[in-house]
Amino acid sequence: AAKTEERGGVRFYSPLMHADASTRLLIGADLRLALGRDEFEIVYQPSVELRSGRIVAVEALLRWRHPERGMLMPDEFIPIAESLGLIRLIDERTLQAVCAQMQAWDRNGMPAVRVAINASASTFGHRGFVEAVRCALQMAALPPSRLLIEITESAMLSLGEETERKLHALHALGVGVAIDDFGTGYSSLAYLKLPAVAFLKIDRSFVTGVPDEANDVVIVEAMLAIAKSLGLRAIAEGIETEAQHDFLLRLGCVEGQGFLYSRPLPPAEIERLLRPSRKHAPARLRVVPP
Ligand code: C2E
Ligand code: MG
Ligand code: MG
Ligand code: MG
């Protein structure tokens, strides 16, 4: 079936998902130019404490405003950027832009929420990654604890000394690490016990099935149990319904993200959500009845 993507409430077909080889070549050539032309934009999706609806974090998600093709989603260009060896440049640019945004928010007196960025396996795997993170934080004069780096299990595939050293270095720096799309990879679970790994993001494919699909219920319960026993904070991805919210809350999941609370939003709209106001208590996206 054709993959559709929701944007602004309108369902539409994403033409690049099944792009042929020549289209991918064209996109690849445009990607090299896009960095120089500053065509990337960052949107931010709130992450809420399920119990209160309070926004505790935002996740930075990349968009590409292509001059002819319009707004492109990560699934349409990140795999191409990865295959061309361009993703590290893109991710490091995003890291810098996100840190600059956090600094601007701090200066405007916005509540200091955690901000997560996504790093592809090859970005994380590059030897200069920890240094790039340290520099970006320093340039923006940010406390490292405000930044969370999301990496998928595939980045842990080779949990060798090098990966472990890198995770320790991030931990020593004070930056948190989250395992993204947890449960969809093929790696061992050995990395979960490393002190650097503090967050576990339960993949949307499992969240979608609760509370009706018995198998997904069992899997999500098991993931929450692992998180709890190892002292990790579980974040459920892709919560779209009240039933999913209620179920996850009942099972002790602390935090979640999803269209039920908010779509990814441009910085100005995030500011409106987060801005402290005297009339309204701290930003809450969905207040759960007591
Ligand atoms: P992810 O890190 O797992 O991000 C969550 C994705 O799920 C986002 O898609 C978000 O818009 C979407 N989402 C959130 N809540 C819901 C929901 O309730 N329902 C549904 N159907 N979807 C929801 P997006 O922005 O298209 O990003 C897709 C993936 O692209 C991300 O998955 C991440 O792996 C990757 N990505 C995004 N930005 C970057 C980046 O700067 N660098 C790298 N390397 N990868 C990125
Ligand atoms: Mg992510
Ligand atoms: Mg994810
Ligand atoms: Mg995902």
Side-chain angles (χ1 to χ4, degrees), residues 102-182:
M102 289 167 80
Q103 187 181 34
W105 279 340
D106 282 358
R107 286 183 175 155
N108 289 331
M110 305 272 292
V113 295
R114 202 178 72 224
V115 180
I117 58 158
N118 293 281
S120 284
S122 67
T123 304
F124 175 77
H126 189 264
R127 48 170 57 255
F129 180 67
V130 178
E131 187 55 19
V133 171
R134 201 189 56 76
C135 282
L137 287 165
Q138 198 175 41
M139 288 278 287
L142 290 166
S145 60
R146 293 274 304 287
L147 188 68
L148 185 69
I149 292 167
E150 299 193 1
I151 48 183
T152 56
E153 286 164 89
S154 58
M156 304 290 188
L157 268 186
S158 53
L159 183 61
E161 264 174 50
E162 182 55 31
T163 308
E164 220 173 302
R165 224 190 341 262
K166 198 168 285 182
L167 288 167
H168 281 303
L170 285 173
H171 190 53
L173 186 59
V175 173
V177 170
I179 304 304
D180 207 349
D181 303 344
F182 183 66

Side-chain angles (χ1 to χ4, degrees), residues 45 59 62-63 74 91 118 120 180-181 204 237 240 259:
Q45 185 180 37
E59 177 180 3
L62 198 59
R63 302 290 181 261
D91 280 348
N118 293 281
S120 284
D180 207 349
D181 303 344
R204 174 161 60 92
E237 295 188 322
E240 294 184 348
F259 295 168

Side-chain angles (χ1 to χ4, degrees), residues 16 27 62-64 66 69-74 76-77:
L16 287 179
I27 294 289
L62 198 59
R63 302 290 181 261
W64 177 13
H66 189 285
R69 297 175 193 271
M71 195 69 103
L72 300 183
M73 303 296 277
E76 299 174 281
F77 64 87

